[in-house]
Amino acid sequence: MDVFQIEGPVQLSGSVSINGSKNASLPIMAAAILTGGKSILKAVPNLSDISVCGELLSQLGCTVSKNANGDLCIDSTVVDNPVGDYEIVRRMRASICILGPLLARCGRAEVSMPGGCAIGDRPVDIHIRGLRQLGAQIHLKNGYIIAEAPNGLQGCDIFLGGPFGSTVLGTANVLMAAVMAKGKTVIESAACEPEVADLANCLNKMGAKITGIGSPRLTIEGVEQLQPVEFQVIPDRIEAGTFMVAAAITKSELRLRNCRLDNMMAVVDKLRNIGVTVDSADDGCVVACNGRVRPADITTHPFPGFPTDLQAQFMALLALADGNSVIVEKIFPDRFMHLAELNRMAANLRKEGSAVIVAGVKKLIAAPVMASDLRASAALVLAGLAAEGTTVVNRVYHIDRGYERIEEKLNPLGAKIRRENV
Ligand code: EPZ
């Protein structure tokens, strides 16, 4: 199992290119099921979650390969096994987003019910409710969601809100089912995340008729057939936000290329409020910080609010702020596995329900720590860049799910991270 040995504190400088978005790529890969031909996806990052999704599509019958340019090619001419196996779904929850496209393409699907994970319960009830409203008959058997629509799906008006607001993959699933349903579907309380908009843009390029993209009301006119496409996924706003925090926590200046600030306004606003400079530049931005950051109150919300996927990284940053901050988690109220690990590095964090009081300290001190989920592990790496001594981050496989060789991106900027297999 790989671990990171991180020597700190370091200063960073230079320029880094942000990858294509993991969370945009996964549903777009699933959308390829709908076309019955060979789609070419550009800028899909090289991550373990993407490989798992490729494996899943191969099990369905698709052919998944890379071309000479490194683009991901998905040929869905054959989809003859509409089953999302437990062995794959338990490795990656996002596998659930094949449910909608399989129903649309094959009229049936069996997908293992995802369990909880380190960040919470993560139910899929809203996905199922939305698909039922489109006419699918759905029941649970042996831990599998069995969905059938022998007479096809029928467009309708669907309210897709839940106790914590909209759902990203729930919207993706229902949207992918609705594009080939008969008649018109309106999804109200749709997720507005840029990754959902990217999926909708890709579906429209395939020939779907979706309007209201990026808004909470999506209107879909069903079509009979979709065509394969060539499509480039958007830059990863969470990877970009992580590198912005890397600049801030090391009191450094970094240039980010392939980064879209218009998808990150809540994050940029927060950074500016705590004393970090973020200036847009060609194809990206320059992020600079020359002292201790000021404290802040952060509450996570669905887009365009502050993203839950950057909560842990900002906790690491605010742990070193000049004063007290409050971080409230409104999407996954238990997503605080990083808290105890950061406290092992001499942070002063106290959980109160779904909030954390962050009492800023002057320095972090290196320690052996345990990564628990993708973003929590990113927070530990960031803390390790600023902490005094050698931080050892265990279970690096979590970070490999969402960051492509992060040490190979950080080391040329001045980080001292060694990957070791122990
Ligand atoms: C997506 O997960 C992302 N994953 C997550 O990123 C991200 O944290 C999350 O959206 C929120 O932004 C991918 O895109 C692959 P949700 P998703 O459904 O779609 C509740 C990362 O680190 N809910 O939008 O599964 C749910 O419990 C990952 O890259 C229901 O109650 O999240 C949560 O409180 C982790 N019933 C809220 O809605 C449902 O049926 C939002 O979750 C579905 C969700």
Side-chain angles (χ1 to χ4, degrees):
M1 208 179 289
D2 285 2
V3 304
F4 279 158
Q5 305 260 6
I6 307 174
E7 303 269 348
V10 291
Q11 264 226 312
L12 305 178
S13 64
S15 161
V16 63
S17 180
I18 300 304
N19 280 54
S21 161
K22 163 181 86 82
N23 288 349
S25 299
L26 293 170
I28 288 174
M29 287 172 74
I33 294 171
L34 293 164
T35 65
K38 184 170 175 180
S39 290
I40 297 177
L41 305 180
K42 293 178 171 292
V44 174
N46 227 334
L47 300 170
S48 55
D49 271 11
I50 298 292
S51 314
V52 174
C53 189
E55 240 181 271
L56 177 66
L57 295 177
S58 306
Q59 283 196 0
L60 303 178
C62 301
T63 306
V64 182
S65 58
K66 284 232 171 131
N67 67 14
N69 302 323
D71 305 327
L72 190 70
C73 307
I74 302 174
D75 187 340
S76 64
T77 309
V78 178
V79 176
D80 55 3
N81 177 38
V83 180
D85 211 65
Y86 174 66
E87 279 313 307
I88 293 206
V89 179
R90 75 179 176 83
R91 281 158 60 202
M92 188 187 65
R93 298 188 87 266
S95 309
I96 187 70
C97 67
I98 59 170
L99 190 56
L102 280 180
L103 257 177
R105 168 87 191 260
C106 308
R108 56 183 287 267
E110 292 180 25
V111 181
S112 173
M113 179 84 168
C117 71
I119 67 176
D121 292 346
R122 308 193 66 187
V124 291
D125 56 315
I126 305 172
H127 302 228
I128 292 176
R129 198 176 73 207
L131 295 173
R132 277 198 175 125
Q133 286 184 55
L134 287 171
Q137 292 154 17
I138 301 184
H139 65 280
L140 262 183
K141 194 175 162 194
N142 298 334
Y144 278 72
I145 301 165
I146 315 284
E148 283 161 323
N151 303 319
L153 298 166
Q154 179 67 50
C156 65
D157 292 354
I158 301 173
F159 176 76
L160 217 53
F164 297 95
S166 51
T167 156
V168 172
L169 290 179
T171 303
N173 240 334
V174 175
L175 179 61
M176 287 188 277
V179 286
M180 283 165 69
K182 293 185 198 90
K184 177 170 137 183
T185 300
V186 176
I187 304 177
E188 194 68 80
S189 198
C192 302
E193 270 68 6
E195 295 76 16
V196 177
D198 210 33
L199 168 67
N201 285 326
C202 178
L203 288 166
N204 273 356
K205 202 167 178 196
M206 289 171 172
K209 292 189 175 155
I210 306 166
T211 54
I213 295 175
S215 84
R217 176 183 288 181
L218 294 174
T219 304
I220 304 124
E221 292 289 346
V223 296
E224 280 189 4
Q225 228 186 334
L226 297 181
Q227 319 301 328
V229 280
E230 191 171 309
F231 189 80
Q232 169 144 356
V233 299
I234 49 167
D236 195 314
R237 65 193 168 105
I238 306 302
E239 189 193 19
T242 303
F243 276 91
M244 288 177 178
V245 174
I249 204 167
T250 57
K251 304 189 182 96
S252 307
E253 181 174 311
L254 286 181
R255 182 159 164 26
L256 272 54
R257 288 172 282 118
N258 191 37
C259 158
R260 280 187 50 181
L261 291 187
D262 57 328
N263 284 340
M264 306 182 64
M265 288 315 291
V267 176
V268 171
D269 182 63
K270 204 49 83 181
L271 286 168
R272 287 179 177 153
N273 283 335
I274 61 175
V276 181
T277 309
V278 184
D279 291 328
S280 60
D282 281 354
D283 187 29
C285 64
V286 176
V287 185
C289 177
N290 56 15
R292 226 172 145 190
V293 295
R294 291 191 287 273
D297 289 349
I298 294 180
T299 301
T300 64
H301 284 296
F303 190 83
F306 190 92
T308 173
D309 290 347
L310 284 171
Q311 178 256 106
Q313 298 90 319
F314 270 70
M315 193 177 292
L317 176 60
L318 293 176
L320 284 163
D322 187 11
N324 297 339
S325 305
V326 178
I327 298 181
V328 181
E329 177 54 72
K330 291 261 192 192
I331 310 288
F332 298 114
D334 297 321
R335 192 177 198 177
F336 291 125
M337 300 285 279
H338 41 287
L339 183 149
E341 301 304 301
L342 289 171
N343 277 346
R344 300 191 73 250
M345 299 177 74
N348 185 354
L349 313 171
R350 186 162 52 85
K351 184 171 175 306
E352 291 282 348
S354 60
V356 172
I357 322 285
V358 183
V361 293
K362 283 208 171 114
K363 62 177 184 183
L364 294 174
I365 301 170
V369 286
M370 193 69 84
S372 54
D373 77 81
L374 168 54
R375 308 305 171 185
S377 29
L380 298 177
V381 171
L382 293 168
L385 296 176
E388 279 181 10
T390 307
T391 299
V392 181
V393 181
N394 290 288
R395 300 195 182 162
V396 161
Y397 61 87
H398 285 294
I399 206 163
D400 292 335
R401 296 185 58 182
Y403 296 87
E404 190 176 326
R405 303 293 287 188
I406 195 169
E407 77 280 21
E408 288 178 13
K409 279 194 169 181
L410 282 168
N411 284 344
L413 304 173
K416 294 176 187 155
I417 306 178
R418 245 187 6 259
R419 183 185 285 261
E420 281 180 2
N421 190 269
V422 292

